[in-house]
Amino acid sequence: MKRRGLTAAIAAAATLWVAPIAQGASGAVATHELEASPAEVREYWTPERMRAAEPLDDPGGGRLEHGPARTAAAPPDQELPPELDTTYPYRIHGKLFLTLNGSNAQCSATVVTSFSRDLVLTAGHCIAEPTPGRTAWARNLLFVPAYRDGNAPLGSYPGSNAGVPAIWAVAGAISFDVGMVRLAPAAGGAIQDQLGSRGIAFNRAAKSFKGKTFQMFGYPAAPEPTYNGQRPILCSSPFLGFEGFSGSPVGGPCNQQQGASGGGWVQSGGIVTSLTSHSACNDPAGCTAIAGTYLGNAAFTLWSAIGGGLPKGLKKKIKGCKRKRPKKRQRCLNRYETFQPVIR
């Protein structure tokens, strides 16, 4: 999870129960082809490197020593029972290993339905980091579904292509903290064909969140000593509203912190509607409110660009939605930009 540092003025502007921000002019995407071959990536990620990978954005920049966790989870968080790891839909969630700015790191990710059948959703800050004059891209991307305590019971899937909204790659705009990774196939084929996928929905109306509960999945390595990044954690949390300054959906209480970044937020029907992005508190110490990323136009364009494009008929229907009046446009987009889970 990305811990945000805000000025007092911006923090004061963060209020709940406002609609998500408009994302009409944010459709450009930035993509990056991964240079290493699948075999090289798998060879790089030894069990020792996996265990030593640091969660991104440790508060204060200190190193987290990943010793044995003292407890399974801090309520209301729950550790998923090991016997569920390889069953659908829990096996759809996993750990994403990466190298960013020379350091090995870890995030969380979720297989989501796509036409390419090989896509995982994660946070933008797990894929790319904007720096002055350039974008630092993650290397050695490896998704491990059902990861637990160094074990990969369903194998591993190296990334072949990754992307983020261009506004994230250039400016790190927190409203657009979303990333997608296209995975190389395993021996049995594309990951969606083998394991299934969660559905995914874009441009949801604000009222569709109200009164709903998220299932937040992730591999938190903080706060210690409860978490060490080695076990899948689930927190069922009510929707609390939207951040005023970012339009990010907020859920809580949950205790997941660094390492949970990118973990999918699942609503009824097995549909992902957000992902873990950053703390929803000005002071993250003891904070149990988590902000996600609103999956708007930028996320939809990215999903389409990385995940195999759109059939011609669907493109036509979505284009027709955009010619409708606002209320009808929203309902139309909700219908055609919602993709159902694939159950295996």
Side-chain angles (χ1 to χ4, degrees):
M1 183 191 307
K2 190 175 184 65
R3 316 305 288 188
R4 59 183 173 94
L6 303 174
T7 65
I10 294 177
T15 56
L16 299 181
W17 292 114
V18 296
I21 62 171
Q23 296 192 18
S26 57
V29 302
T31 61
H32 180 69
E33 295 285 340
L34 281 302
E35 297 177 359
S37 70
E40 290 171 330
V41 173
R42 288 192 178 99
E43 183 179 357
Y44 179 81
W45 284 111
T46 63
E48 293 74 22
R49 281 188 172 133
M50 287 183 181
R51 286 186 176 276
E54 293 293 319
L56 290 178
D57 299 298
D58 173 22
R63 180 180 175 81
L64 291 173
E65 299 296 337
H66 306 309
R70 294 181 188 171
T71 59
D77 296 3
Q78 310 168 54
E79 180 180 347
L80 289 175
E83 59 268 24
L84 295 181
D85 286 351
T86 59
T87 66
Y88 182 90
Y90 304 102
R91 66 189 181 199
I92 297 308
H93 304 275
K95 279 192 81 165
L96 184 67
F97 294 95
L98 59 129
T99 304
L100 185 60
N101 290 321
S103 298
N104 290 333
Q106 57 175 288
C107 280
S108 301
T110 304
V111 184
V112 292
T113 299
S114 67
F115 291 102
S116 60
R117 311 187 314 283
D118 55 10
L119 200 66
V120 291
L121 171 77
T122 190
H125 68 268
C126 299
I127 301 298
E129 181 179 308
T131 59
R134 69 181 186 92
T135 301
W137 288 95
R139 301 181 295 108
N140 299 322
L141 287 163
L142 184 75
F143 177 68
V144 183
Y147 176 92
R148 184 186 292 266
D149 292 324
N151 296 312
L154 299 173
S156 60
Y157 294 79
S160 61
N161 190 21
V164 296
I167 193 171
W168 173 266
V170 174
I174 198 66
S175 302
F176 303 92
D177 185 15
V178 56
M180 304 275 182
V181 183
R182 192 165 184 176
L183 304 174
I191 192 168
Q192 181 175 304
D193 295 338
Q194 297 182 77
L195 304 181
S197 65
R198 290 289 197 180
I200 188 167
F202 303 92
N203 284 305
R204 295 286 294 269
K207 66 180 181 181
S208 71
F209 292 88
K210 189 174 181 179
K212 299 299 193 297
T213 296
F214 297 114
Q215 286 188 314
M216 300 178 178
F217 291 85
Y219 284 82
E224 289 194 308
T226 305
Y227 301 108
N228 61 3
Q230 297 298 308
R231 297 164 292 117
I233 302 296
L234 164 65
C235 181
S236 294
S237 172
F239 169 67
L240 300 178
F242 293 98
E243 278 187 328
F245 76 97
S246 71
S248 300
V250 176
C254 289
N255 295 292
Q256 301 183 42
Q257 294 183 14
Q258 285 70 41
S261 288
W265 293 17
V266 183
Q267 287 185 235
S268 59
I271 305 291
V272 173
T273 59
S274 187
L275 58 108
T276 298
S277 171
H278 58 281
S279 169
C281 306
N282 187 43
D283 180 3
C287 177
T288 59
I290 300 176
T293 300
Y294 177 72
L295 302 181
N297 290 335
F300 179 70
T301 302
L302 173 64
W303 173 86
S304 175
I306 299 293
L310 297 173
K312 185 180 295 185
L314 182 57
K315 281 184 180 179
K316 186 176 181 180
K317 290 174 181 177
I318 292 173
K319 187 176 181 180
C321 290
K322 295 177 180 178
R323 291 195 291 264
K324 296 180 182 293
R325 293 182 178 180
K327 286 187 178 180
K328 289 187 176 181
R329 181 190 310 136
Q330 183 76 64
R331 288 195 296 268
C332 187
L333 290 175
N334 285 175
R335 178 181 180 184
Y336 293 118
E337 294 184 356
T338 296
F339 303 89
Q340 298 302 315
V342 174
I343 300 174
R344 295 288 186 231

